[in-house]
Amino acid sequence: MGLKERGAITGIGETAYSRNSGKSVVALQMQASLAAIADAGLAPTDIDGIIAYAPSGVVAEDFVTNFGIPDLRFSATTPMGGASAVAAVQCALAVVATGVCRHVLIPLGRNGASGSRISARVREMPQFRVVSEFEMPVGALAPAQLYAPMARRHMELYGTTSRQFGEIAVATRRHAALHGNAIMTAPITIEDHQASRMIADPLRLLDCSLESDGAAAVVVSAAERARDLARRPVYVMGAAEGHPDSPSVISQRPDLTTLGLAKAAPRAFAMAGVGPADIDVAEIYDCFTFTVLCEIEDLGFCPKGEGSRFVESGRIAPGGSLPVNTNGGGLSYCHPGMYGLFLLIEAVRQLRGECGARQVPDATTAIAHGNGGVLSSQSTVILGTGTTL
């Protein structure tokens, strides 16, 4: 039994993103979840599956209590860092396709700016045990320090430059300027990027994603239920998860320029029956500019080593041949601490044609990718508005 188009994204919801929400993480996730459920035309009591993100401290039982869910048939967690949300979609798809549930809620959110520091959050996650034991004691405390060698290796192997990383920062800021919920909307130039302070060589301030408070949620429904709901369903055409070699620590990978995405992407494309050339819009995890460049390569939009040239000349910016992160991504919209879910939501909005000034014309197929970073878990979902159902 295949999973292609056996389920659909039927509801999406977000809170405002800010530096200080003044709300608890539970309250933020409840707010986003109620918005997603209402968007689908459902009631909270219609939810019979929940895939929560345990490290946020919010569990399925919180939703049962607050929403009055009478019969929760399935609950799970997919604690994979930035890949958590997209991996949860694959899990939800399997659950609705096999009849276990009708409507699965995926909530994510945290106070990433006003809450604990990133290094503290890293230590709390069991997947980071090797990093915490062997690398943090010698000063590798934050993700920028762990990703920097990957970016430097790409530069040494392929001649990639810091200015090419800047192309990604500038393009995503242009996208963010068209979105009313984005945190950073002031235009920036390559020169601004080059003048921003160094964080972990070669990554500068404008190479790094934001920290923010907020939450997002989606509802995944069984295909036969999705047709009768309030919104035009966006069907999941393909989904996959991949883990690279040395999944616990980046520094021990045999190839620093290849992500787990290189394993996940071919499987997702094969399930969907499409290829990179068929994708109209890409929403891919951008904890750093370098990851976007590397993911473009591993997704097959260009050969390995050519991502630096792919991102030049406005190709991924508004009006480009492959618009990337049309809401501004983690670099300008909000922190990917919403763990990739806000990218999935943007892909759904693009396919529904709801994006106004940032709408990609005639978008019918989109890809959303979540990057687990140091956790090494990578997940990819390909969405489409067309269906044979």
Side-chain angles (χ1 to χ4, degrees):
M1 179 185 295
L3 294 179
K4 180 180 180 181
E5 295 185 335
R6 299 296 303 277
I9 310 292
T10 55
I12 56 176
E14 294 179 278
T15 66
Y17 297 112
S18 67
R19 301 292 191 185
N20 188 350
S21 69
K23 298 179 180 179
S24 70
V25 175
V26 173
L28 288 169
Q29 290 197 26
M30 294 297 163
Q31 179 183 344
S33 297
L34 287 172
I37 293 167
D39 185 62
L42 295 169
T45 51
D46 291 319
I47 299 299
D48 52 7
I50 294 173
I51 303 177
Y53 184 65
S56 72
V58 183
V59 295
E61 287 75 10
D62 291 316
F63 293 90
V64 172
T65 301
N66 284 277
F67 289 172
I69 296 173
D71 185 16
L72 190 71
R73 302 178 182 182
F74 178 84
S75 66
T77 62
T78 52
M80 292 165 52
S84 299
V86 183
V89 172
Q90 179 178 236
C91 181
L93 186 64
V95 169
V96 299
T98 52
V100 176
C101 295
R102 299 167 300 169
H103 308 290
V104 177
L105 174 69
I106 303 173
L108 276 170
R110 72 177 187 202
N111 284 324
S114 64
S116 60
R117 291 184 177 274
I118 183 65
S119 57
R121 296 198 297 270
V122 167
R123 288 191 181 95
E124 292 171 356
M125 302 178 71
Q127 295 94 328
F128 282 94
R129 189 176 298 114
V130 175
V131 173
S132 299
E133 184 173 355
F134 294 104
E135 300 200 350
M136 284 187 172
V138 295
L141 301 176
Q145 295 168 303
L146 303 171
Y147 274 88
M150 300 176 73
R152 177 58 67 186
R153 182 62 173 164
H154 200 282
M155 297 169 83
E156 295 297 326
L157 284 178
Y158 304 115
T160 306
T161 68
S162 176
R163 293 182 70 88
Q164 289 168 325
F165 294 153
E167 294 275 0
I168 298 167
V170 171
T172 52
R173 185 62 62 87
R174 288 181 59 194
H175 285 300
L178 302 174
H179 197 302
N181 200 26
I183 290 179
M184 304 295 287
T185 58
I188 59 173
T189 64
I190 298 294
E191 287 66 34
D192 292 329
H193 173 272
Q194 292 293 286
S196 64
R197 71 178 185 272
M198 192 67 72
I199 301 299
D201 187 35
L203 299 176
R204 299 177 177 275
L205 177 65
L206 291 180
D207 288 311
C208 302
S209 59
L210 307 173
E211 289 279 8
S212 62
D213 295 1
V218 302
V219 177
V220 178
S221 300
E224 62 273 16
R225 301 280 181 172
R227 288 172 288 189
D228 300 324
L229 297 183
R231 300 282 191 174
R232 179 177 63 173
V234 173
Y235 290 90
V236 182
M237 299 170 64
E241 177 183 322
H243 297 253
D245 300 328
S246 182
S248 298
V249 58
I250 288 174
S251 64
Q252 301 306 305
R253 294 182 188 175
D255 181 358
L256 293 182
T257 69
T258 298
L259 306 172
L261 178 59
K263 298 178 181 179
R267 292 197 286 266
F269 279 122
M271 182 188 296
V274 301
D278 299 304
I279 301 299
D280 299 308
V281 58
E283 312 292 349
I284 55 181
Y285 198 85
D286 60 339
C287 47
F288 303 99
T289 54
F290 164 73
T291 58
V292 175
L293 186 150
C294 193
E295 289 159 353
I296 284 172
E297 296 172 344
D298 286 350
L299 283 165
F301 291 116
C302 68
K304 178 59 67 176
E306 295 186 13
S308 55
R309 287 167 287 283
F310 186 95
V311 301
E312 292 181 317
S313 304
R315 194 167 185 176
I316 64 172
S321 59
L322 182 70
V324 171
N325 294 350
T326 51
N327 59 3
L331 294 169
S332 291
Y333 182 60
C334 75
H335 188 267
M338 300 324 121
Y339 296 110
L341 200 58
F342 71 97
L343 292 170
L344 182 67
I345 287 173
E346 177 67 7
V348 170
R349 288 195 173 117
Q350 285 286 344
L351 296 180
R352 287 179 176 180
E354 298 175 347
C355 290
R358 68 184 190 281
Q359 179 66 47
V360 175
D362 303 318
T364 59
T365 307
I367 191 165
H369 165 61
N371 168 24
V374 180
L375 310 183
S376 306
S377 48
Q378 313 269 335
S379 296
T380 298
V381 167
I382 299 171
L383 304 172
T385 52
T387 176
T388 57
L389 295 177

